[in-house]
Amino acid sequence: MASEKPSKAKKQKTAPTTVAEFTILPLTLPALPGLPDAYADAKHYLYVKQHEPKHSTPGHDRSLFIANVPIDASETGIRALFAEQLGGSRVERVEFDSAIPALTAHKRFQDASDAKAEGKEKRGKKRKRDADVVAEGVVEDEESALPRIWSSELRKGGSGAVVVFVDRKSMRGALKEVQRAVKEGREIVWKGGEGLGVERYKSHLTLRYPPPAVLQTSVNAYLTQFTALENKRNKIRKHARSEPDEEGFITVVRGGGRNVRLEDAEKKKAELEERRKKNGIKDDFYRFQNRERRKEEELRLRKGFERDRKRVLEMRERRGRVVPES
Amino acid sequence: MAPLAVKRRKLSHDDESDNSEGSFAEQHTNESGSSDESLAENGAADGEGSMDQAAEHSDADSSSDDGPVATEDKESNLSANKRTAAPKVADEAKLQKRRDPQLQDGVYTAETFKSNVFKLQVDELLEQVKPKYGKKEAPAENAMRTLKSLIERLPSRAPLSVNEAEESLKAIGVAIPFPSPRPPKDAKYKLQYERPSSINATGSYPLRTATRTDGELAIDLVVTMPKAIFQEKDYLNHRYFYKRAYYLACLAAGIKNSKEHDFRLSFDCLNGNQLQPIIVVRPSGDGRPADFSPSKCRIHILLALPEGTFSEIKLLPKANCVRPKESGGDGASKFLPPTPFYNSSVQSDATITAYLKLLHAASGKCDAFKDACTLGRIWLRQRGFGSRLRKGGFGNFEWAAIMALLLQPNPGAGTPPLSPGYSSYQLFKATLQFLARHDLSKKPFAFQARDATFPRAKACPMFFDGPRGLNLLFKMTSWSYVRLQLEAKVAVEALGNSTFDQFDATFILKTNLLRYCYDATLELPLSGFGFDPANEDYDASLDETCYRIYSTLVRALTDRVTVVTFSLPDSSDWSISSPRPFERQQKRILVNMATDPANANRTVDHGPAAENKQEAASFRKFWGDKAELRRFKDGSILESVVWTTKNTTAPVLEQIVLYILRRHIGTPVADKAKFMSDTFASLVPSGRIQGQSGVSGFTPVMNALAVVEKDIRNLEGLPLQIRHIRAADAQLRYSSVELPQSAPASVVLRFEGSARWPDDLCAIQRTKIAFLLKLTELLPAAQSGYVTRVGLENASQPSQNQAYIDITTPSAFTFRLRIHHDREATLLERQLKDKCLDAQSRESAAAGLALYKRDFFRIPSHTQTMQTLCTRYPALSPAIRLTKRWFASHLLSPHFAPELIELLVVRTFLQPHPWAVPSCATTGFLRTLAWISRWDWRHVPLIVDFSSAASSDPPESASTGPKGMKFQDVEQIQLRFEAWRRIDPAMNRVVLFAATSMDTDGNTWTDKGTPEKVVAARMTALATAATKAVRAADDRLLSSQDGEDFGDDSTFSPQSLFVSQAQDYDFVIQLSPKYATTERKNLQPRYKNVEIQKAIGDWQNSGTELARLFVEDLQNVYGDAILFFYDAESLDRIAGLFNPVVTGQRAWKVKAGWNSLPFKSRDEKRSEVIGEKEGRGMDIQVNKGAICNEMRRLGGDLISRIDVKR
């Protein structure tokens, strides 16, 4: 650290302003007690550029991409940053790369997820239900979702966000403002998230034990939706059952015959195999079988010896000589 | 030259075998380079080849060797013996080879050598420890020749009276090393020196069984005194020893006066036996031709008595050879007590050559004899045994001689225990078995001496060699014999274990370390006894007192202890110009005890019944005021002794020992005595074993769980029947550092199978919530006093367990109950194989399955196993908790699954070799640390065989009965381990590999880098440092035993192993004391029922819980970029380390995955390579300042300050 200090001072003098297509926006951090003096004037660096996704998404042409967002960044925080300190551009919404606690991860079918990649990944509850049939469970809505157990979200360190502005002009204005601020060396202050610290954890301790009534309602709603969706899924399965694939085979899927289950078939197969083995010719019936077995046994022993020898050699290489401890 | 040749013939024989050994070595190196078959042939081929060549070489030598060593006299006994023996053995070997061709093949060595790996390691070990008999040893051999010719030239001295003799030698600066008691001044006999009848090398060096392990090699040169100087009755009353002492002094004087060398001379006692002084010759170190310091050895000059000087019958162990002083004329009629030690000392001088012959013959007859001797030497040395009286009196010579005798037929005793066809390992093991099986102190072993009778004094062991008339074990004490037997038993048990290799336990580990081997140590300063070291009876009375202490302690402690052994300070050699120095009274005796945990802390000792007058009187006499008559529950009235555990911190053992010392040995001894036992136990609450159990502190929580289970089972109105409720928490397997108080303990509930569950993972979770809600409704209604709440977890993983219920009992314990539904596993496995699912979903299914297996199978079954083991081994629970505290206090606990730490400790108990199963927290903990420090986890998996515990209950049957885990299972695990290392050589996913007989996966507790490589390395480093500190403390204790004073430093503080060093971390977050827990200070277990609400509030609102959530957040936010270290129990600070692998400085990248600080890179070349598009000339490093600020914002008031390294 000692060697780093002077170099750091130098860095701040020649702080880079751009990298690749990104503008580097330094943020001044709140001064808090208890921090080491060396870090009193530490800055946070945002990398900002126009959003250019590979596949076009709704609103991508009026969005900015920000890399390395602070861990306590929230939609309100970013909105306030642009509104109050970067020219007052109006933000429609902010889409973050990551969230803690993470978004609900549903299991999906392969083609369904391909198709969905086009649509922007979003909160499950906002999505229309029939658009995608998840592989299991249901995508919860307000009613069927479990009560939230955290008061606010956090971001992973070094993650990114897409800020969607109300229109293209606002986006352009915001980017210009960022570039200007960097050029002028204007101080932009990061205020930090709200409801952190003791408050956050105390609230979690309460939230994680939701009232039984609330919980019961949510479970009921979920199971109702689940039954509905399960019917839909069964239809898809039925479809898969009746349709041969390119090689002409019909995939065996769950729910075919009422009574025949895949596992049962497998079990039966194993049983048959077992019986076949039992009734087959014994291993030591012919002389050649004995001979071969002996040979195999010898080979096995020899191989074992070779392996052991190699192990001991390796051991010697690692540990040096075998000498009694003194 | 000519006159000397006759006497050199035995040396010449040695040189001859030199050459044969040379060929041995050559062959060896040849073979190790060649293919595997030839390597395996070693055993047979070596013997054969070397023997043949030995015979040839001896001819060649006589013509070519022009040195001072000539071989004119070929009628020499030994070489003649050898000549006839050699071809015979060779023939035998050939025969055997033809008979059994498989023996040549290496792959079959498993039968004669335990396993291939074992054999290969033994080969390697033997090669390492044997002196090379080459350049290095040459100067020493030269020196021996010099000494020999010098002694031969010494002139005879006329007979002198004792006084005259002393005066005459004093004049040339040599004090005669008379044994005590000193010869009377008015002795009528004369002391005399005449030319010796022969001079030979003897002992292990010429036999080629010497080992070079402690640096200095001792070579014995034996000088046989001429018969003429002794008279028939000289064996009586020390007269022989006085003459011997004078003879030795004359030799010393002669050597000292010689001008051709500069040897340093001193006197010592042969094996510490003051009757038999010897001369120790050390190199001058001046670099002159006679200097042999490069050989790193010393030469001992021993004296031998020519055979047949005294009548053997007079020297049998039962005879008396030291007549009492006062016995005048009527002495003949009185009974004279036998003097076995004295007799054997005389006899041992008379049989030096006879034993050399015996051993030579044995090594000629049996190919593997020498190697087996070497193995025995190493084994003894690692256990601290030696021929010296104070080291136990059982050393290399005794080992070799016993083996040689056991090879010979003993009429009337069936087939000999050893056979010449055995491999060295078989010889070694069979000898150990002999030692372990026969209690020679109760049933003497007589070799070819069927009608010999033996005195039954002091319960000394007896291995009587008839032809040579010597009890080979005459130097042993009762305690050293008990210890030898025990060590042999442990070793036999270890070697009988076919599952694991045990090579290290048998030969490599040093086992006689006080703190690993024993549970309690009693220090007795010599000054406490008040003996005058100048007194003639000093040695005798000290021995007598030790024996008295021993027998008193053994009687007082009964089955509380398994071993009581004395460690006496050893004496060292002294200058030849001064008399034998007196023993310094600052020295201390250490009495070491190994305890039986089930009995050691018993508070009541039952004596004989009151009616049994005689025994009762003896009991009362022994215990004094402590004895009291008591009536017991079963109606019996017994003499008994009661010890208290209240109002005292002294364990029962200490109370007994000190009391009994005071009563039977003396108050000053007891006052100066220092008792230490289980010194680490006080570091965890309830760490000492109380009564018979090490788990008494956990009884309340276990009882509470039983009640909860009963109440839940009795509930009416649950839609499904309950199959079982299983514990799944460290608190419920006696393994939590703190005694359970209010933190929730996990349990798993499983309902009977039902088809009404939905067939969908997510829906199953909701159904579970419905069940839990039902439980919260029913339980408090059915039984008052319960408080129940349903809690949520894993919010973002709808197919993992999402809910639990916290049940707080009236006794203020909280149980966290989760529902286990077996269909989940099937569904997850199906998803894993389902090709319709996208990759991400399948990965999540795999993770879910691993979690499911861990939480619902592995942890409950691990918990169950640990419950059984902890009740079986009383010291296990405290040892685990102590070890966990150690991990926690070094802030390592977040990186190690508690189950993994438990396995580490369990290994110490289930594979305790080379020691017995630990019987207190301290030994269990220290041995675990020592093992961790040795554990080469990069290349060696941890394998715990739970099944070995099941069968090892009666130790005898265990050695014969089938043992759970097979060698093949271990092999299987080994292969799996090797596969992991091949897949993941950088050890990013699995670093430690820990498998058990129940769970052969090996990564259950260590998957996904728990711990990471750096953390595992830190564990090893810390364990090594701790082990070193303990070893150093042991060494200090031993040196303080020799009277060296270390002042206050000598007290070793157990706490010192638990102090963590913060300077190794990049930053340390100090948490505000307002939120830090105070739990640790409150070590008193709480049995009282307290208000339940308060109990809930206790752990919920305690800062620890908030801090724990904070640290979880930190881990989620920073992922693998920062490693966090903290003590999960106290959580007063969080230390962090920027992961250098992840957060190293690098070229700019938009998604580095961590908070970055951009700056212009100086390294232009690299940026050119990267090109334009990626940030040119721009580097990033981790933005430590901003991260500290982030953490500070996140933690808010929880944090009092953040300290940064330097």
Side-chain angles (χ1 to χ4, degrees), chain B residues 927-941:
Chain B
R927 287 190 216 166
T928 306
L929 280 194
W931 187 79
I932 293 173
S933 74
R934 289 198 310 274
W935 183 21
D936 181 9
W937 38 263
R938 285 177 184 83
H939 303 100
V940 180

Side-chain angles (χ1 to χ4, degrees), chain B residues 606-611 629-639:
Chain B
H606 302 273
E611 307 93 74
L629 208 54
R630 283 206 166 200
R631 186 197 179 96
F632 291 93
K633 269 184 195 155
D634 60 353
S636 58
I637 301 175
L638 301 177
E639 290 287 348

Side-chain angles (χ1 to χ4, degrees), chain A residues 69-120:
Chain A
V69 297
I71 62 163
D72 51 353
S74 60
E75 194 165 311
T76 16
I78 300 283
R79 208 187 283 273
L81 183 71
F82 280 102
E84 290 160 23
Q85 299 185 63
L86 292 167
S89 293
R90 294 223 322 275
V91 173
E92 185 188 289
R93 60 172 197 270
V94 184
E95 293 164 359
F96 289 100
D97 270 1
S98 68
I100 295 169
L103 297 181
T104 313
H106 289 284
K107 299 201 177 95
R108 293 172 195 286
F109 292 113
Q110 204 132 40
D111 36 5
S113 59
D114 283 349
K116 208 180 50 54
E118 322 260 297
K120 189 69 205 121

Side-chain angles (χ1 to χ4, degrees), chain A residues 10-291:
Chain A
K10 211 198 272 171
K11 256 178 258 150
Q12 267 163 7
K13 259 179 237 159
T14 62
T17 51
T18 57
V19 58
E21 299 148 14
F22 287 90
T23 308
I24 301 175
L25 175 67
L27 296 178
T28 305
L29 296 170
L32 292 165
L35 282 173
D37 296 340
Y39 296 153
D41 51 358
K43 296 244 186 325
H44 186 105
Y45 297 89
L46 294 182
Y47 309 102
V48 188
K49 72 161 196 165
Q50 197 170 335
H51 187 42
E52 291 156 344
K54 277 179 195 141
H55 308 280
S56 64
T57 54
H60 76 90
D61 50 350
R62 51 191 163 94
S63 308
L64 284 183
F65 176 64
I66 306 181
N68 198 25
V69 297
I71 62 163
D72 51 353
S74 60
E75 194 165 311
T76 16
I78 300 283
R79 208 187 283 273
L81 183 71
F82 280 102
E84 290 160 23
Q85 299 185 63
L86 292 167
S89 293
R90 294 223 322 275
V91 173
E92 185 188 289
R93 60 172 197 270
V94 184
E95 293 164 359
F96 289 100
D97 270 1
S98 68
I100 295 169
L103 297 181
T104 313
H106 289 284
K107 299 201 177 95
R108 293 172 195 286
F109 292 113
Q110 204 132 40
D111 36 5
S113 59
D114 283 349
K116 208 180 50 54
E118 322 260 297
K120 189 69 205 121
E121 190 85 57
K122 276 198 60 202
R123 291 210 98 123
K125 55 186 172 186
K126 285 184 185 169
R127 211 182 289 122
K128 285 243 164 80
R129 261 195 295 119
D130 45 24
D132 44 12
V133 177
V134 286
E136 61 176 12
V138 290
V139 176
E140 300 97 330
D141 57 16
E142 291 288 0
E143 253 176 78
S144 59
L146 287 174
R148 278 153 43 98
I149 56 178
W150 288 97
S151 54
S152 58
E153 279 179 0
L154 295 178
R155 313 289 149 211
K156 288 201 166 194
S159 61
V162 172
V163 184
V164 185
F165 290 86
V166 284
D167 52 22
R168 255 183 113 120
K169 212 174 121 209
S170 312
M171 182 270 285
R172 288 247 172 81
L175 186 58
K176 282 241 173 67
E177 194 58 30
V178 167
Q179 282 158 348
R180 192 175 305 134
V182 170
K183 206 171 173 189
E184 290 168 4
R186 200 165 75 210
E187 188 182 47
I188 309 290
V189 180
W190 178 252
K191 293 213 175 83
E194 280 174 4
L196 299 181
V198 180
E199 194 188 323
R200 172 177 165 84
Y201 302 115
K202 278 207 165 146
S203 76
H204 170 72
L205 285 180
T206 325
L207 287 173
R208 74 174 173 187
Y209 299 107
V214 176
L215 212 48
Q216 190 71 58
T217 325
S218 131
V219 168
N220 291 346
Y222 187 94
L223 290 177
T224 320
Q225 289 173 12
F226 171 73
T227 322
L229 192 70
E230 189 70 358
N231 290 336
K232 206 184 231 170
R233 264 199 290 257
N234 280 340
K235 257 183 227 154
I236 298 174
R237 287 201 192 105
K238 209 170 176 183
H239 184 63
R241 258 204 306 282
S242 53
E243 203 169 292
D245 62 11
E246 57 265 43
E247 282 164 38
F249 290 106
I250 290 173
T251 323
V252 180
V253 218
R254 188 153 64 96
R258 280 269 168 262
N259 305 319
V260 185
R261 286 208 159 184
L262 206 57
E263 301 96 277
D264 292 343
E266 273 164 9
K267 212 191 256 171
K268 196 80 190 162
K269 203 174 152 197
E271 217 170 75
L272 282 172
E273 189 87 348
E274 186 76 2
R275 199 182 298 164
R276 202 183 56 80
K277 259 189 195 164
K278 248 186 207 164
N279 295 338
I281 294 167
K282 298 280 187 295
D283 285 348
D284 54 353
F285 189 76
Y286 295 112
R287 177 176 281 181
F288 81 89
Q289 284 178 321
N290 281 331
R291 206 165 47 225

Side-chain angles (χ1 to χ4, degrees), chain A residues 1 4 10-11 16 18-22 24 29-30 32-36 39 42-45 47 65 67-68 70-72 97 100 102-110 113 135-137 140 144-147 149-150 154-158 190 192 196-198 200-202 204-205 208-210 212 215-216 218-219 222-223 226 233 254 261 263 298 301-302 304-309 311-312 315-316 318-319 321-326, chain B residues 36-37 105-108 116-117 120-121 124-125 128-129 378 381-382 503-504 507-510 759-763 766 769 773 789-792 796 798-799 802 804 806 816 823 830-831 835-838 841 844-845 936 939 971 974 978 1031 1075 1099-1100 1105-1106 1109-1110 1113 1116-1118 1148 1150-1151 1153-1159 1173 1175 1178 1180-1181 1183-1186 1188-1190 1192-1198 1200-1202 1204-1205:
Chain A
M1 203 58 76
E4 212 173 280
K10 211 198 272 171
K11 256 178 258 150
T18 57
V19 58
E21 299 148 14
F22 287 90
I24 301 175
L29 296 170
L32 292 165
L35 282 173
Y39 296 153
K43 296 244 186 325
H44 186 105
Y45 297 89
Y47 309 102
F65 176 64
N68 198 25
I71 62 163
D72 51 353
D97 270 1
I100 295 169
L103 297 181
T104 313
H106 289 284
K107 299 201 177 95
R108 293 172 195 286
F109 292 113
Q110 204 132 40
S113 59
E136 61 176 12
E140 300 97 330
S144 59
L146 287 174
I149 56 178
W150 288 97
L154 295 178
R155 313 289 149 211
K156 288 201 166 194
W190 178 252
L196 299 181
V198 180
R200 172 177 165 84
Y201 302 115
K202 278 207 165 146
H204 170 72
L205 285 180
R208 74 174 173 187
Y209 299 107
L215 212 48
Q216 190 71 58
S218 131
V219 168
Y222 187 94
L223 290 177
F226 171 73
R233 264 199 290 257
R254 188 153 64 96
R261 286 208 159 184
E263 301 96 277
E298 203 182 308
L301 283 173
R302 196 180 291 276
F305 178 75
E306 274 299 306
R307 198 178 50 223
D308 288 344
R309 209 158 64 97
R311 254 178 221 165
V312 172
M315 207 144 66
R316 176 164 55 180
R318 285 201 311 270
R319 290 200 302 214
R321 301 178 300 152
V322 181
V323 188
E325 219 174 71
S326 53
Chain B
D36 59 310
E37 276 110 325
D105 208 331
V107 294
Y108 289 98
N116 291 327
V117 176
L120 292 166
Q121 288 183 95
E124 175 109 19
L125 174 71
Q128 291 300 336
V129 297
I378 299 168
R381 196 183 81 95
Q382 296 310 81
F503 175 80
D504 282 6
F507 297 115
I508 300 298
L509 296 182
K510 186 131 184 93
D759 208 19
D760 179 288
L761 281 166
C762 300
R766 303 297 164 123
I769 297 179
L773 286 169
R789 292 188 296 177
V790 176
L792 298 180
S796 49
S799 61
Q802 288 198 298
Y804 52 83
D806 277 351
R816 179 162 290 180
R823 185 82 188 139
R830 188 186 288 164
Q831 285 183 353
K835 291 198 182 83
C836 305
L837 285 178
D838 65 354
S841 304
S844 130
D936 181 9
H939 303 100
E971 200 63 9
Q974 179 76 30
E978 280 164 13
R1031 283 285 290 266
Y1075 295 99
W1099 71 268
Q1100 279 249 316
E1105 194 57 23
L1106 299 181
L1109 293 169
F1110 170 53
D1113 260 352
N1116 288 334
V1117 166
Y1118 295 108
W1148 186 84
V1150 64
K1151 283 182 181 171
W1154 32 271
N1155 194 343
S1156 61
L1157 174 77
F1159 62 96
K1173 199 179 173 208
M1178 197 69 84
I1180 47 171
Q1181 60 179 205
N1183 192 347
K1184 293 179 180 175
C1188 278
N1189 197 293
E1190 276 176 349
R1192 179 73 186 74
R1193 299 199 303 268
L1194 179 60
D1197 291 344
L1198 281 175
S1200 69
R1201 65 169 201 283
I1202 299 179
V1204 181
K1205 186 170 150 190

